[in-house]
Short mmCIF file of all heavy atoms in Angstrom, two decimals:
data_model
loop_
_atom_site.label_atom_id
_atom_site.label_comp_id
_atom_site.label_asym_id
_atom_site.label_seq_id
_atom_site.Cartn_x
_atom_site.Cartn_y
_atom_site.Cartn_z
N MET Z 155 21.72 -1.16 -19.98
CA MET Z 155 21.81 -1.31 -18.55
C MET Z 155 20.40 -1.44 -17.98
O MET Z 155 19.48 -0.74 -18.39
CB MET Z 155 22.53 -0.10 -17.94
CG MET Z 155 22.76 -0.25 -16.47
SD MET Z 155 23.57 1.17 -15.73
CE MET Z 155 25.25 0.83 -16.13
N SER Z 156 20.23 -2.30 -17.04
CA SER Z 156 18.93 -2.53 -16.43
C SER Z 156 18.57 -1.43 -15.45
O SER Z 156 19.43 -0.75 -14.89
CB SER Z 156 18.96 -3.88 -15.70
OG SER Z 156 17.76 -4.07 -15.01
N ALA Z 157 17.27 -1.23 -15.22
CA ALA Z 157 16.82 -0.21 -14.28
C ALA Z 157 17.18 -0.58 -12.85
O ALA Z 157 17.20 0.28 -11.98
CB ALA Z 157 15.32 -0.02 -14.40
N LEU Z 158 17.49 -1.84 -12.60
CA LEU Z 158 17.86 -2.24 -11.25
C LEU Z 158 19.26 -1.77 -10.88
O LEU Z 158 19.56 -1.59 -9.71
CB LEU Z 158 17.79 -3.76 -11.11
CG LEU Z 158 16.40 -4.37 -11.26
CD1 LEU Z 158 16.50 -5.87 -11.25
CD2 LEU Z 158 15.50 -3.87 -10.17
N PHE Z 159 20.10 -1.56 -11.86
CA PHE Z 159 21.48 -1.17 -11.59
C PHE Z 159 21.71 0.33 -11.72
O PHE Z 159 22.74 0.83 -11.31
CB PHE Z 159 22.43 -1.92 -12.52
CG PHE Z 159 22.35 -3.41 -12.34
CD1 PHE Z 159 21.92 -4.21 -13.38
CD2 PHE Z 159 22.68 -4.01 -11.13
CE1 PHE Z 159 21.85 -5.58 -13.22
CE2 PHE Z 159 22.60 -5.37 -10.97
CZ PHE Z 159 22.18 -6.16 -12.01
N ASN Z 160 20.79 1.04 -12.32
CA ASN Z 160 20.90 2.48 -12.47
C ASN Z 160 19.89 3.12 -11.52
O ASN Z 160 18.68 2.96 -11.68
CB ASN Z 160 20.60 2.87 -13.92
CG ASN Z 160 20.90 4.33 -14.18
OD1 ASN Z 160 21.19 5.09 -13.26
ND2 ASN Z 160 20.82 4.71 -15.44
N PHE Z 161 20.37 3.86 -10.53
CA PHE Z 161 19.50 4.40 -9.48
C PHE Z 161 18.48 5.38 -10.03
O PHE Z 161 17.32 5.37 -9.63
CB PHE Z 161 20.35 5.05 -8.39
CG PHE Z 161 19.56 5.51 -7.21
CD1 PHE Z 161 18.97 4.59 -6.37
CD2 PHE Z 161 19.40 6.86 -6.95
CE1 PHE Z 161 18.22 4.99 -5.28
CE2 PHE Z 161 18.66 7.28 -5.86
CZ PHE Z 161 18.07 6.34 -5.02
N GLN Z 162 18.88 6.21 -10.97
CA GLN Z 162 17.95 7.19 -11.55
C GLN Z 162 16.84 6.47 -12.32
O GLN Z 162 15.68 6.87 -12.24
CB GLN Z 162 18.69 8.15 -12.46
CG GLN Z 162 17.82 9.26 -12.99
CD GLN Z 162 18.61 10.27 -13.80
OE1 GLN Z 162 19.81 10.12 -13.97
NE2 GLN Z 162 17.94 11.28 -14.29
N SER Z 163 17.17 5.43 -13.03
CA SER Z 163 16.15 4.68 -13.76
C SER Z 163 15.22 3.94 -12.80
O SER Z 163 14.01 3.85 -13.06
CB SER Z 163 16.80 3.68 -14.70
OG SER Z 163 17.55 4.34 -15.68
N LEU Z 164 15.75 3.44 -11.70
CA LEU Z 164 14.92 2.79 -10.70
C LEU Z 164 13.92 3.77 -10.09
O LEU Z 164 12.74 3.45 -9.93
CB LEU Z 164 15.78 2.16 -9.61
CG LEU Z 164 15.05 1.46 -8.48
CD1 LEU Z 164 14.30 0.26 -9.01
CD2 LEU Z 164 16.02 1.06 -7.39
N LEU Z 165 14.38 4.98 -9.77
CA LEU Z 165 13.47 6.00 -9.25
C LEU Z 165 12.41 6.38 -10.27
O LEU Z 165 11.25 6.60 -9.92
CB LEU Z 165 14.26 7.24 -8.84
CG LEU Z 165 15.08 7.13 -7.57
CD1 LEU Z 165 15.83 8.43 -7.33
CD2 LEU Z 165 14.22 6.78 -6.39
N LEU Z 166 12.78 6.44 -11.53
CA LEU Z 166 11.84 6.75 -12.59
C LEU Z 166 10.77 5.66 -12.71
O LEU Z 166 9.58 5.97 -12.84
CB LEU Z 166 12.56 6.93 -13.92
CG LEU Z 166 11.73 7.36 -15.10
CD1 LEU Z 166 11.14 8.74 -14.85
CD2 LEU Z 166 12.56 7.36 -16.35
N VAL Z 167 11.17 4.41 -12.63
CA VAL Z 167 10.21 3.31 -12.70
C VAL Z 167 9.26 3.35 -11.51
O VAL Z 167 8.05 3.15 -11.66
CB VAL Z 167 10.96 1.95 -12.77
CG1 VAL Z 167 10.03 0.79 -12.54
CG2 VAL Z 167 11.66 1.81 -14.11
N ILE Z 168 9.76 3.65 -10.32
CA ILE Z 168 8.92 3.73 -9.13
C ILE Z 168 7.93 4.89 -9.26
O ILE Z 168 6.74 4.75 -8.94
CB ILE Z 168 9.78 3.86 -7.86
CG1 ILE Z 168 10.51 2.54 -7.60
CG2 ILE Z 168 8.93 4.22 -6.65
CD1 ILE Z 168 11.57 2.62 -6.52
N LEU Z 169 8.39 6.04 -9.73
CA LEU Z 169 7.50 7.18 -9.93
C LEU Z 169 6.41 6.87 -10.96
O LEU Z 169 5.25 7.23 -10.77
CB LEU Z 169 8.28 8.41 -10.36
CG LEU Z 169 8.95 9.20 -9.26
CD1 LEU Z 169 9.81 10.30 -9.86
CD2 LEU Z 169 7.94 9.78 -8.32
N LEU Z 170 6.78 6.23 -12.04
CA LEU Z 170 5.79 5.86 -13.05
C LEU Z 170 4.79 4.84 -12.51
O LEU Z 170 3.60 4.91 -12.83
CB LEU Z 170 6.48 5.31 -14.30
CG LEU Z 170 7.20 6.34 -15.16
CD1 LEU Z 170 7.98 5.65 -16.26
CD2 LEU Z 170 6.22 7.33 -15.73
N LEU Z 171 5.24 3.93 -11.67
CA LEU Z 171 4.34 2.95 -11.06
C LEU Z 171 3.35 3.65 -10.14
O LEU Z 171 2.14 3.35 -10.16
CB LEU Z 171 5.15 1.92 -10.28
CG LEU Z 171 4.35 0.85 -9.54
CD1 LEU Z 171 3.64 -0.05 -10.52
CD2 LEU Z 171 5.25 0.06 -8.63
N ILE Z 172 3.82 4.60 -9.34
CA ILE Z 172 2.94 5.33 -8.44
C ILE Z 172 1.93 6.17 -9.23
O ILE Z 172 0.73 6.15 -8.93
CB ILE Z 172 3.77 6.22 -7.49
CG1 ILE Z 172 4.53 5.35 -6.49
CG2 ILE Z 172 2.89 7.22 -6.75
CD1 ILE Z 172 5.54 6.11 -5.67
N CYS Z 173 2.39 6.89 -10.24
CA CYS Z 173 1.48 7.74 -11.02
C CYS Z 173 0.46 6.91 -11.79
O CYS Z 173 -0.73 7.26 -11.84
CB CYS Z 173 2.28 8.60 -11.98
SG CYS Z 173 3.30 9.84 -11.16
N THR Z 174 0.88 5.81 -12.37
CA THR Z 174 -0.03 4.96 -13.13
C THR Z 174 -1.06 4.31 -12.22
O THR Z 174 -2.24 4.25 -12.56
CB THR Z 174 0.76 3.89 -13.90
OG1 THR Z 174 1.72 4.53 -14.72
CG2 THR Z 174 -0.16 3.03 -14.74
N SER Z 175 -0.62 3.84 -11.06
CA SER Z 175 -1.56 3.22 -10.12
C SER Z 175 -2.59 4.22 -9.61
O SER Z 175 -3.77 3.89 -9.49
CB SER Z 175 -0.80 2.61 -8.94
OG SER Z 175 0.07 1.61 -9.37
N ALA Z 176 -2.15 5.44 -9.31
CA ALA Z 176 -3.09 6.46 -8.85
C ALA Z 176 -4.09 6.82 -9.95
O ALA Z 176 -5.28 7.01 -9.68
CB ALA Z 176 -2.33 7.71 -8.40
N TYR Z 177 -3.64 6.87 -11.19
CA TYR Z 177 -4.53 7.18 -12.31
C TYR Z 177 -5.55 6.07 -12.53
O TYR Z 177 -6.75 6.33 -12.70
CB TYR Z 177 -3.72 7.42 -13.58
CG TYR Z 177 -4.57 7.71 -14.78
CD1 TYR Z 177 -5.18 8.94 -14.92
CD2 TYR Z 177 -4.78 6.75 -15.76
CE1 TYR Z 177 -5.98 9.22 -16.02
CE2 TYR Z 177 -5.57 7.01 -16.86
CZ TYR Z 177 -6.17 8.25 -16.99
OH TYR Z 177 -6.96 8.51 -18.07
N VAL Z 178 -5.09 4.82 -12.51
CA VAL Z 178 -6.00 3.69 -12.70
C VAL Z 178 -7.00 3.63 -11.56
O VAL Z 178 -8.18 3.36 -11.77
CB VAL Z 178 -5.19 2.37 -12.82
CG1 VAL Z 178 -6.09 1.16 -12.70
CG2 VAL Z 178 -4.44 2.33 -14.13
N HIS Z 179 -6.56 3.90 -10.34
CA HIS Z 179 -7.48 3.88 -9.20
C HIS Z 179 -8.51 5.00 -9.30
O HIS Z 179 -9.65 4.84 -8.87
CB HIS Z 179 -6.71 3.99 -7.89
CG HIS Z 179 -7.58 3.79 -6.69
ND1 HIS Z 179 -8.07 4.85 -5.96
CD2 HIS Z 179 -8.06 2.67 -6.11
CE1 HIS Z 179 -8.80 4.37 -4.98
NE2 HIS Z 179 -8.82 3.05 -5.04
N GLN Z 180 -8.15 6.11 -9.88
CA GLN Z 180 -9.09 7.21 -10.04
C GLN Z 180 -10.15 6.86 -11.09
O GLN Z 180 -11.33 7.18 -10.93
CB GLN Z 180 -8.37 8.48 -10.45
CG GLN Z 180 -9.27 9.68 -10.61
CD GLN Z 180 -8.48 10.91 -11.04
OE1 GLN Z 180 -7.30 10.84 -11.34
NE2 GLN Z 180 -9.15 12.04 -11.06
N ILE Z 181 -9.76 6.19 -12.15
CA ILE Z 181 -10.68 5.86 -13.24
C ILE Z 181 -11.52 4.62 -12.89
O ILE Z 181 -12.73 4.60 -13.09
CB ILE Z 181 -9.91 5.63 -14.55
CG1 ILE Z 181 -9.12 6.88 -14.93
CG2 ILE Z 181 -10.85 5.21 -15.68
CD1 ILE Z 181 -9.97 8.11 -15.20
N PHE Z 182 -10.87 3.58 -12.37
CA PHE Z 182 -11.54 2.32 -12.01
C PHE Z 182 -11.26 1.99 -10.54
O PHE Z 182 -10.39 1.17 -10.24
CB PHE Z 182 -11.03 1.16 -12.88
CG PHE Z 182 -11.15 1.40 -14.36
CD1 PHE Z 182 -10.03 1.59 -15.14
CD2 PHE Z 182 -12.39 1.42 -14.96
CE1 PHE Z 182 -10.14 1.80 -16.50
CE2 PHE Z 182 -12.51 1.63 -16.32
CZ PHE Z 182 -11.39 1.82 -17.09
N PRO Z 183 -11.98 2.60 -9.60
CA PRO Z 183 -11.66 2.41 -8.18
C PRO Z 183 -11.88 0.99 -7.68
O PRO Z 183 -11.12 0.51 -6.82
CB PRO Z 183 -12.57 3.40 -7.46
CG PRO Z 183 -13.56 3.86 -8.43
CD PRO Z 183 -13.04 3.57 -9.79
N ARG Z 184 -12.84 0.29 -8.21
CA ARG Z 184 -13.12 -1.07 -7.73
C ARG Z 184 -12.04 -2.06 -8.17
O ARG Z 184 -11.91 -3.12 -7.56
CB ARG Z 184 -14.47 -1.54 -8.23
CG ARG Z 184 -15.60 -0.66 -7.72
CD ARG Z 184 -16.92 -1.19 -8.13
NE ARG Z 184 -17.44 -1.94 -7.00
CZ ARG Z 184 -18.44 -2.79 -7.07
NH1 ARG Z 184 -19.02 -3.00 -8.22
NH2 ARG Z 184 -18.85 -3.42 -6.00
N LEU Z 185 -11.30 -1.72 -9.20
CA LEU Z 185 -10.28 -2.62 -9.71
C LEU Z 185 -9.18 -2.86 -8.67
O LEU Z 185 -8.72 -3.99 -8.49
CB LEU Z 185 -9.67 -2.07 -11.00
CG LEU Z 185 -8.64 -2.92 -11.70
CD1 LEU Z 185 -9.31 -4.16 -12.27
CD2 LEU Z 185 -7.97 -2.15 -12.80
N LEU Z 186 -8.79 -1.81 -7.97
CA LEU Z 186 -7.71 -1.95 -6.98
C LEU Z 186 -8.24 -2.12 -5.56
O LEU Z 186 -7.53 -2.66 -4.71
CB LEU Z 186 -6.79 -0.73 -7.04
CG LEU Z 186 -5.96 -0.59 -8.31
CD1 LEU Z 186 -5.14 0.67 -8.26
CD2 LEU Z 186 -5.07 -1.79 -8.52
N ASP Z 187 -9.44 -1.67 -5.26
CA ASP Z 187 -9.97 -1.79 -3.90
C ASP Z 187 -10.25 -3.23 -3.51
O ASP Z 187 -10.19 -3.57 -2.33
CB ASP Z 187 -11.23 -0.95 -3.74
CG ASP Z 187 -10.92 0.53 -3.62
OD1 ASP Z 187 -9.75 0.86 -3.32
OD2 ASP Z 187 -11.83 1.35 -3.85
N ASN Z 188 -10.56 -4.07 -4.47
CA ASN Z 188 -10.83 -5.48 -4.18
C ASN Z 188 -9.56 -6.28 -3.95
O ASN Z 188 -9.62 -7.39 -3.44
CB ASN Z 188 -11.63 -6.12 -5.32
CG ASN Z 188 -13.00 -5.51 -5.46
OD1 ASN Z 188 -13.54 -4.96 -4.52
ND2 ASN Z 188 -13.56 -5.62 -6.66
N ARG Z 189 -8.44 -5.74 -4.32
CA ARG Z 189 -7.17 -6.49 -4.27
C ARG Z 189 -6.15 -5.74 -3.41
O ARG Z 189 -5.16 -5.23 -3.91
CB ARG Z 189 -6.65 -6.67 -5.69
CG ARG Z 189 -7.58 -7.47 -6.55
CD ARG Z 189 -7.12 -7.42 -8.00
NE ARG Z 189 -7.96 -8.22 -8.86
CZ ARG Z 189 -9.06 -7.78 -9.44
NH1 ARG Z 189 -9.45 -6.55 -9.25
NH2 ARG Z 189 -9.77 -8.58 -10.21
N LYS Z 190 -6.38 -5.71 -2.11
CA LYS Z 190 -5.48 -4.98 -1.22
C LYS Z 190 -4.35 -5.85 -0.70
O LYS Z 190 -3.39 -5.34 -0.13
CB LYS Z 190 -6.26 -4.41 -0.04
CG LYS Z 190 -7.24 -3.34 -0.43
CD LYS Z 190 -7.95 -2.79 0.77
CE LYS Z 190 -8.97 -1.75 0.37
NZ LYS Z 190 -9.71 -1.23 1.51
N HIS Z 191 -4.44 -7.15 -0.86
CA HIS Z 191 -3.43 -8.06 -0.32
C HIS Z 191 -2.77 -8.83 -1.46
O HIS Z 191 -3.31 -8.96 -2.55
CB HIS Z 191 -4.07 -9.05 0.65
CG HIS Z 191 -4.78 -8.37 1.78
ND1 HIS Z 191 -4.11 -7.71 2.79
CD2 HIS Z 191 -6.10 -8.21 2.05
CE1 HIS Z 191 -4.98 -7.20 3.63
NE2 HIS Z 191 -6.21 -7.48 3.21
N GLY Z 192 -1.60 -9.32 -1.20
CA GLY Z 192 -0.89 -10.10 -2.19
C GLY Z 192 -0.03 -9.25 -3.11
O GLY Z 192 0.26 -8.09 -2.83
N LEU Z 193 0.35 -9.84 -4.21
CA LEU Z 193 1.23 -9.16 -5.16
C LEU Z 193 0.54 -7.97 -5.83
O LEU Z 193 1.15 -6.93 -6.04
CB LEU Z 193 1.71 -10.15 -6.22
CG LEU Z 193 2.75 -9.66 -7.19
CD1 LEU Z 193 4.01 -9.27 -6.45
CD2 LEU Z 193 3.06 -10.70 -8.23
N VAL Z 194 -0.74 -8.09 -6.12
CA VAL Z 194 -1.48 -7.00 -6.75
C VAL Z 194 -1.72 -5.87 -5.75
O VAL Z 194 -1.96 -4.73 -6.13
CB VAL Z 194 -2.80 -7.52 -7.35
CG1 VAL Z 194 -3.55 -6.44 -8.08
CG2 VAL Z 194 -2.52 -8.68 -8.28
N GLY Z 195 -1.61 -6.16 -4.46
CA GLY Z 195 -1.76 -5.14 -3.43
C GLY Z 195 -0.70 -4.06 -3.50
O GLY Z 195 -0.89 -2.96 -2.97
N ILE Z 196 0.40 -4.35 -4.17
CA ILE Z 196 1.45 -3.34 -4.36
C ILE Z 196 0.90 -2.17 -5.17
O ILE Z 196 1.19 -1.01 -4.86
CB ILE Z 196 2.67 -3.97 -5.07
CG1 ILE Z 196 3.33 -5.00 -4.14
CG2 ILE Z 196 3.67 -2.91 -5.49
CD1 ILE Z 196 4.40 -5.81 -4.80
N PHE Z 197 0.06 -2.45 -6.15
CA PHE Z 197 -0.53 -1.38 -6.96
C PHE Z 197 -1.49 -0.54 -6.12
O PHE Z 197 -1.56 0.67 -6.29
CB PHE Z 197 -1.23 -1.96 -8.18
CG PHE Z 197 -0.30 -2.69 -9.10
CD1 PHE Z 197 -0.38 -4.06 -9.25
CD2 PHE Z 197 0.66 -2.00 -9.81
CE1 PHE Z 197 0.49 -4.73 -10.09
CE2 PHE Z 197 1.54 -2.65 -10.66
CZ PHE Z 197 1.45 -4.02 -10.79
N TRP Z 198 -2.24 -1.19 -5.22
CA TRP Z 198 -3.14 -0.45 -4.33
C TRP Z 198 -2.35 0.47 -3.40
O TRP Z 198 -2.71 1.62 -3.19
CB TRP Z 198 -3.99 -1.43 -3.52
CG TRP Z 198 -4.93 -0.75 -2.59
CD1 TRP Z 198 -6.14 -0.19 -2.92
CD2 TRP Z 198 -4.74 -0.53 -1.20
NE1 TRP Z 198 -6.71 0.34 -1.80
CE2 TRP Z 198 -5.89 0.16 -0.72
CE3 TRP Z 198 -3.74 -0.86 -0.30
CZ2 TRP Z 198 -6.03 0.52 0.60
CZ3 TRP Z 198 -3.89 -0.49 1.03
CH2 TRP Z 198 -5.02 0.20 1.45
N LYS Z 199 -1.23 -0.05 -2.88
CA LYS Z 199 -0.38 0.77 -2.00
C LYS Z 199 0.24 1.94 -2.77
O LYS Z 199 0.33 3.06 -2.25
CB LYS Z 199 0.70 -0.09 -1.38
CG LYS Z 199 0.15 -1.08 -0.39
CD LYS Z 199 1.22 -2.02 0.12
CE LYS Z 199 0.59 -3.09 0.98
NZ LYS Z 199 1.54 -4.12 1.37
N CYS Z 200 0.66 1.69 -3.99
CA CYS Z 200 1.21 2.78 -4.81
C CYS Z 200 0.15 3.82 -5.14
O CYS Z 200 0.44 5.01 -5.18
CB CYS Z 200 1.81 2.21 -6.10
SG CYS Z 200 3.33 1.31 -5.85
N ALA Z 201 -1.09 3.37 -5.34
CA ALA Z 201 -2.18 4.32 -5.59
C ALA Z 201 -2.43 5.18 -4.37
O ALA Z 201 -2.68 6.39 -4.48
CB ALA Z 201 -3.44 3.56 -5.99
N ARG Z 202 -2.36 4.60 -3.19
CA ARG Z 202 -2.53 5.38 -1.96
C ARG Z 202 -1.41 6.41 -1.79
O ARG Z 202 -1.65 7.55 -1.39
CB ARG Z 202 -2.56 4.47 -0.73
CG ARG Z 202 -3.77 3.69 -0.61
CD ARG Z 202 -4.93 4.59 -0.25
NE ARG Z 202 -6.15 3.84 -0.44
CZ ARG Z 202 -7.25 4.32 -0.97
NH1 ARG Z 202 -7.29 5.55 -1.36
NH2 ARG Z 202 -8.30 3.58 -1.12
N ILE Z 203 -0.20 6.00 -2.09
CA ILE Z 203 0.93 6.94 -2.01
C ILE Z 203 0.72 8.08 -3.00
O ILE Z 203 0.93 9.25 -2.68
CB ILE Z 203 2.26 6.20 -2.28
CG1 ILE Z 203 2.58 5.25 -1.13
CG2 ILE Z 203 3.40 7.20 -2.48
CD1 ILE Z 203 3.73 4.32 -1.42
N GLY Z 204 0.30 7.75 -4.21
CA GLY Z 204 0.08 8.77 -5.23
C GLY Z 204 -1.04 9.73 -4.88
O GLY Z 204 -0.98 10.91 -5.20
N GLU Z 205 -2.08 9.23 -4.20
CA GLU Z 205 -3.20 10.09 -3.83
C GLU Z 205 -2.86 10.99 -2.65
O GLU Z 205 -3.21 12.15 -2.62
CB GLU Z 205 -4.42 9.24 -3.49
CG GLU Z 205 -5.02 8.54 -4.68
CD GLU Z 205 -6.06 7.53 -4.28
OE1 GLU Z 205 -6.27 7.33 -3.07
OE2 GLU Z 205 -6.67 6.93 -5.18
N ARG Z 206 -2.19 10.45 -1.66
CA ARG Z 206 -1.93 11.20 -0.43
C ARG Z 206 -0.73 12.13 -0.55
O ARG Z 206 -0.66 13.15 0.12
CB ARG Z 206 -1.75 10.23 0.73
CG ARG Z 206 -3.01 9.49 1.04
CD ARG Z 206 -2.85 8.57 2.18
NE ARG Z 206 -4.10 7.87 2.45
CZ ARG Z 206 -4.23 6.88 3.28
NH1 ARG Z 206 -3.17 6.44 3.93
NH2 ARG Z 206 -5.40 6.30 3.46
N LEU Z 207 0.23 11.77 -1.34
CA LEU Z 207 1.43 12.59 -1.49
C LEU Z 207 1.53 13.20 -2.88
O LEU Z 207 2.63 13.39 -3.40
CB LEU Z 207 2.68 11.73 -1.22
CG LEU Z 207 2.80 11.14 0.18
CD1 LEU Z 207 4.03 10.24 0.25
CD2 LEU Z 207 2.90 12.22 1.22
N SER Z 208 0.42 13.53 -3.48
CA SER Z 208 0.43 13.98 -4.87
C SER Z 208 1.27 15.23 -5.13
O SER Z 208 1.92 15.30 -6.17
CB SER Z 208 -0.99 14.16 -5.39
OG SER Z 208 -1.67 15.12 -4.65
N PRO Z 209 1.32 16.23 -4.23
CA PRO Z 209 2.20 17.38 -4.53
C PRO Z 209 3.68 16.99 -4.57
O PRO Z 209 4.43 17.44 -5.43
CB PRO Z 209 1.93 18.37 -3.40
CG PRO Z 209 0.64 17.98 -2.82
CD PRO Z 209 0.50 16.51 -3.04
N TYR Z 210 4.07 16.11 -3.67
CA TYR Z 210 5.47 15.68 -3.64
C TYR Z 210 5.80 14.76 -4.81
O TYR Z 210 6.89 14.85 -5.38
CB TYR Z 210 5.78 14.98 -2.32
CG TYR Z 210 5.58 15.87 -1.12
CD1 TYR Z 210 4.57 15.63 -0.22
CD2 TYR Z 210 6.39 16.98 -0.92
CE1 TYR Z 210 4.38 16.46 0.87
CE2 TYR Z 210 6.20 17.82 0.17
CZ TYR Z 210 5.20 17.54 1.07
OH TYR Z 210 5.00 18.36 2.14
N ILE Z 211 4.87 13.90 -5.18
CA ILE Z 211 5.07 13.01 -6.32
C ILE Z 211 5.17 13.82 -7.60
O ILE Z 211 6.04 13.56 -8.44
CB ILE Z 211 3.94 11.97 -6.40
CG1 ILE Z 211 3.93 11.06 -5.17
CG2 ILE Z 211 4.03 11.15 -7.67
CD1 ILE Z 211 5.17 10.22 -5.01
N SER Z 212 4.30 14.83 -7.75
CA SER Z 212 4.37 15.64 -8.97
C SER Z 212 5.66 16.46 -9.02
O SER Z 212 6.25 16.62 -10.09
CB SER Z 212 3.16 16.56 -9.07
OG SER Z 212 3.12 17.44 -7.97
N LEU Z 213 6.13 16.92 -7.88
CA LEU Z 213 7.41 17.62 -7.83
C LEU Z 213 8.55 16.69 -8.22
O LEU Z 213 9.45 17.08 -8.98
CB LEU Z 213 7.65 18.21 -6.44
CG LEU Z 213 8.94 18.98 -6.25
CD1 LEU Z 213 8.95 20.23 -7.10
CD2 LEU Z 213 9.15 19.31 -4.79
N CYS Z 214 8.51 15.47 -7.73
CA CYS Z 214 9.54 14.49 -8.11
C CYS Z 214 9.49 14.18 -9.60
O CYS Z 214 10.54 14.01 -10.23
CB CYS Z 214 9.36 13.21 -7.29
SG CYS Z 214 9.80 13.38 -5.56
N CYS Z 215 8.29 14.10 -10.16
CA CYS Z 215 8.17 13.85 -11.60
C CYS Z 215 8.77 15.00 -12.41
O CYS Z 215 9.45 14.77 -13.41
CB CYS Z 215 6.70 13.64 -11.98
SG CYS Z 215 6.03 12.08 -11.45
N VAL Z 216 8.52 16.22 -11.98
CA VAL Z 216 9.09 17.38 -12.68
C VAL Z 216 10.60 17.38 -12.56
O VAL Z 216 11.32 17.64 -13.54
CB VAL Z 216 8.48 18.69 -12.12
CG1 VAL Z 216 9.24 19.91 -12.61
CG2 VAL Z 216 7.02 18.78 -12.49
N LEU Z 217 11.12 17.07 -11.38
CA LEU Z 217 12.58 17.03 -11.20
C LEU Z 217 13.22 15.92 -12.03
O LEU Z 217 14.29 16.13 -12.61
CB LEU Z 217 12.92 16.86 -9.72
CG LEU Z 217 12.62 18.06 -8.83
CD1 LEU Z 217 12.88 17.71 -7.37
CD2 LEU Z 217 13.44 19.25 -9.25
N MET Z 218 12.55 14.76 -12.10
CA MET Z 218 13.10 13.66 -12.91
C MET Z 218 13.06 14.03 -14.40
O MET Z 218 13.99 13.71 -15.13
CB MET Z 218 12.31 12.37 -12.67
CG MET Z 218 12.57 11.75 -11.32
SD MET Z 218 14.27 11.24 -11.07
CE MET Z 218 14.37 9.85 -12.13
N ALA Z 219 12.00 14.71 -14.83
CA ALA Z 219 11.92 15.12 -16.24
C ALA Z 219 13.00 16.14 -16.55
O ALA Z 219 13.63 16.08 -17.61
CB ALA Z 219 10.55 15.69 -16.54
N ALA Z 220 13.25 17.04 -15.62
CA ALA Z 220 14.30 18.05 -15.84
C ALA Z 220 15.68 17.39 -15.86
O ALA Z 220 16.53 17.78 -16.66
CB ALA Z 220 14.24 19.11 -14.75
N SER Z 221 15.89 16.41 -15.00
CA SER Z 221 17.21 15.76 -14.98
C SER Z 221 17.44 14.93 -16.23
O SER Z 221 18.55 14.85 -16.74
CB SER Z 221 17.35 14.90 -13.73
OG SER Z 221 16.51 13.78 -13.79
N VAL Z 222 16.38 14.33 -16.77
CA VAL Z 222 16.52 13.57 -18.02
C VAL Z 222 16.76 14.53 -19.17
O VAL Z 222 17.58 14.28 -20.05
CB VAL Z 222 15.26 12.70 -18.26
CG1 VAL Z 222 15.26 12.13 -19.66
CG2 VAL Z 222 15.20 11.59 -17.23
N PHE Z 223 16.07 15.67 -19.16
CA PHE Z 223 16.24 16.67 -20.22
C PHE Z 223 17.64 17.26 -20.20
O PHE Z 223 18.27 17.43 -21.24
CB PHE Z 223 15.19 17.76 -20.06
CG PHE Z 223 15.28 18.82 -21.11
CD1 PHE Z 223 14.92 18.56 -22.41
CD2 PHE Z 223 15.73 20.09 -20.79
CE1 PHE Z 223 14.99 19.54 -23.38
CE2 PHE Z 223 15.82 21.07 -21.75
CZ PHE Z 223 15.45 20.79 -23.05
N VAL Z 224 18.16 17.56 -19.03
CA VAL Z 224 19.50 18.16 -18.91
C VAL Z 224 20.57 17.10 -19.21
O VAL Z 224 21.59 17.41 -19.79
CB VAL Z 224 19.69 18.77 -17.49
CG1 VAL Z 224 21.12 19.17 -17.25
CG2 VAL Z 224 18.74 19.93 -17.30
N GLY Z 225 20.30 15.85 -18.85
CA GLY Z 225 21.28 14.79 -19.06
C GLY Z 225 21.52 14.46 -20.51
O GLY Z 225 22.57 13.99 -20.90
N ASN Z 226 20.54 14.70 -21.37
CA ASN Z 226 20.69 14.38 -22.80
C ASN Z 226 21.19 15.54 -23.51
O ASN Z 226 21.43 16.24 -24.13
CB ASN Z 226 19.36 13.90 -23.39
CG ASN Z 226 18.99 12.54 -22.87
OD1 ASN Z 226 19.86 11.77 -22.50
ND2 ASN Z 226 17.71 12.27 -22.81
#
């Protein structure tokens, strides 16, 4: 089943995108700062969400990990 049709998998993909973008922006800040517009700008926006809402994002990651652990 595709992640587009499974809501939990879609949320997991979005959380991983936010966490990965925030990590890449922390390590290589110029990589995303130069590309704020267009399709690559999505990664810059996800990095901003990950930086500004990091306690909530980390809580969501823990909850998603617990739900995957309990589901299996």
Side-chain angles (χ1 to χ4, degrees):
M155 185 181 278
S156 175
L158 295 174
F159 299 117
N160 189 352
F161 186 68
Q162 185 175 1
S163 297
L164 179 64
L165 287 178
L166 185 64
V167 167
I168 291 170
L169 278 174
L170 287 173
L171 178 67
I172 290 171
C173 293
T174 304
S175 298
Y177 178 74
V178 167
H179 188 261
Q180 182 181 7
I181 301 298
F182 305 110
R184 298 184 98 195
L185 183 68
L186 293 177
D187 284 342
N188 295 336
R189 298 170 178 88
K190 294 181 182 178
H191 303 289
L193 186 62
V194 184
I196 293 171
F197 298 111
W198 180 80
K199 292 174 187 174
C200 288
R202 288 290 167 221
I203 291 170
E205 291 170 357
R206 294 181 180 171
L207 298 176
S208 61
Y210 299 113
I211 297 297
S212 61
L213 180 66
C214 289
C215 288
V216 168
L217 290 175
M218 288 298 288
S221 69
V222 168
F223 181 71
V224 170
N226 289 333

